Amino acid sequence: MIIAHRGVSFTLPENSIPAFEASWEFGVDGIEGDFHLTKDGEIVCIHDDDTERVCKTKVIIHKSTLQDLKKLELFHEADSSLNIKIPTLAEVIKTLPKGKKIFIEIKCGDEITSPLLNQLSNFDISSDQIVIISFDSKVIKKIKSLNPKFKALFLYSCEDTRDIDDVINEALKIKANGISTDNESSKLFVEKVIESGLEYHSWTIDDANVALQLIQWGSTSITTNDPELIIKSLQL
């Protein structure tokens, strides 16, 4: 599967509705977005815990209401007149075509899990369209304990110096369905994850040759900033 990282974020504001809608035009299998919980219990799609980088105005997400955040505009260098807002989870879900997937990365703590699962139960989409991902093992563990039908992936960065076996054991302990990592060169890592019974997923891969290699090794998905390039290069 080819997954658009924060939508088509090279040319449009990351984690925005236009960026996600553009992703579907390239024929991706899914989108990946980052999510935080607001002060009033809403779920919004934004990577950082504040708005400074993407809105040029600093507002702390968990200290703000949805109404506060909707007053801001996502910065767009090419066209400042577009008036693009920070979307809610519900608004992002509405862009999903039938059968396509959304990878929901939790960027805050496990306080979001109950509101998230409550919202997901109200959307008119199947559970297999949802993949929940997080670097926080507590988030994955809680998601799987509250509603195991949703697929959940444990995120791991190769900047982390932990032993591969320790990472796999932790993923198994929290009942994750798989591990998603930025590994680009270790076939052994991929093999060990798959041999353990877990799925192996890759992020954020923008080199078509690396993507092809990972697919050949057994990666289930490739998350990329440049889905058009990857899809064309792999002739998918």
Side-chain angles (χ1 to χ4, degrees):
M1 297 184 295
I2 305 301
I3 310 299
H5 184 239
R6 307 181 197 172
V8 180
S9 53
F10 277 174
T11 56
L12 291 162
E14 65 177 50
N15 284 318
S16 69
I17 295 302
F20 292 129
E21 289 176 337
S23 303
W24 305 123
E25 296 176 9
F26 292 131
V28 299
D29 300 289
I31 54 174
E32 182 269 353
D34 307 293
F35 293 88
H36 283 268
L37 190 68
T38 67
K39 179 181 178 180
D40 54 343
E42 297 290 342
I43 299 173
V44 290
C45 189
I46 185 171
H47 180 275
D48 304 345
D49 57 12
D50 67 65
T51 62
E52 185 171 22
R53 181 175 61 86
V54 294
C55 296
K56 308 304 178 187
T57 301
K58 187 172 182 177
V59 173
I60 307 299
I61 305 300
H62 77 271
K63 294 182 178 179
S64 306
T65 65
L66 178 60
Q67 185 178 16
D68 295 332
L69 296 170
K70 285 294 187 180
K71 293 175 182 177
L72 305 176
E73 294 181 21
L74 291 170
F75 177 73
H76 189 278
E77 189 171 1
D79 188 347
S80 60
S81 67
L82 293 178
N83 193 25
I84 301 173
K85 303 293 186 178
I86 298 170
T88 62
L89 172 64
E91 289 167 338
V92 176
I93 292 286
K94 285 179 182 178
T95 76
L96 279 181
K98 185 176 181 180
K100 298 291 186 176
K101 296 182 183 292
I102 178 170
F103 282 44
I104 298 173
E105 181 172 352
I106 303 305
K107 302 301 290 187
C108 54
D110 63 0
E111 67 277 3
I112 197 175
T113 52
S114 292
L116 173 63
L117 292 174
N118 287 337
Q119 285 202 25
L120 291 177
S121 67
N122 293 325
F123 297 138
D124 186 24
I125 56 174
S126 62
S127 59
D128 62 4
Q129 290 179 265
I130 305 293
V131 181
I132 298 169
I133 63 178
S134 178
F135 285 97
D136 188 340
S137 59
K138 292 179 181 178
V139 169
I140 301 298
K141 183 178 181 180
K142 193 168 180 180
I143 288 288
K144 296 304 288 186
S145 65
L146 292 174
N147 198 329
K149 73 177 181 180
F150 289 115
K151 182 172 288 188
L153 305 178
F154 185 37
L155 295 177
Y156 170 80
S157 170
C158 289
E159 293 181 356
D160 192 326
T161 57
R162 281 182 295 172
D163 183 80
I164 294 172
D165 292 329
D166 290 340
V167 177
I168 292 172
N169 288 335
E170 183 172 5
L172 292 169
K173 184 178 179 180
I174 61 177
K175 301 188 185 303
N177 298 94
I179 292 174
S180 183
T181 176
D182 57 349
N183 162 52
E184 296 186 3
S185 59
S186 175
K187 183 180 181 182
L188 178 62
F189 191 171
V190 181
E191 290 175 340
K192 281 194 169 188
V193 170
I194 294 173
E195 287 171 2
S196 74
L198 296 167
E199 291 182 2
Y200 184 92
H201 295 254
S202 300
W203 61 266
T204 302
I205 309 299
D206 297 332
D207 184 306
N209 291 326
V210 174
L212 178 59
Q213 183 68 84
L214 288 163
I215 291 168
Q216 291 173 340
W217 289 344
S219 188
T220 298
S221 74
I222 302 290
T223 295
T224 177
N225 288 311
D226 198 349
E228 182 179 23
L229 170 68
I230 298 297
I231 290 172
K232 284 183 176 179
S233 299
L234 300 179
Q235 297 182 333
L236 297 174

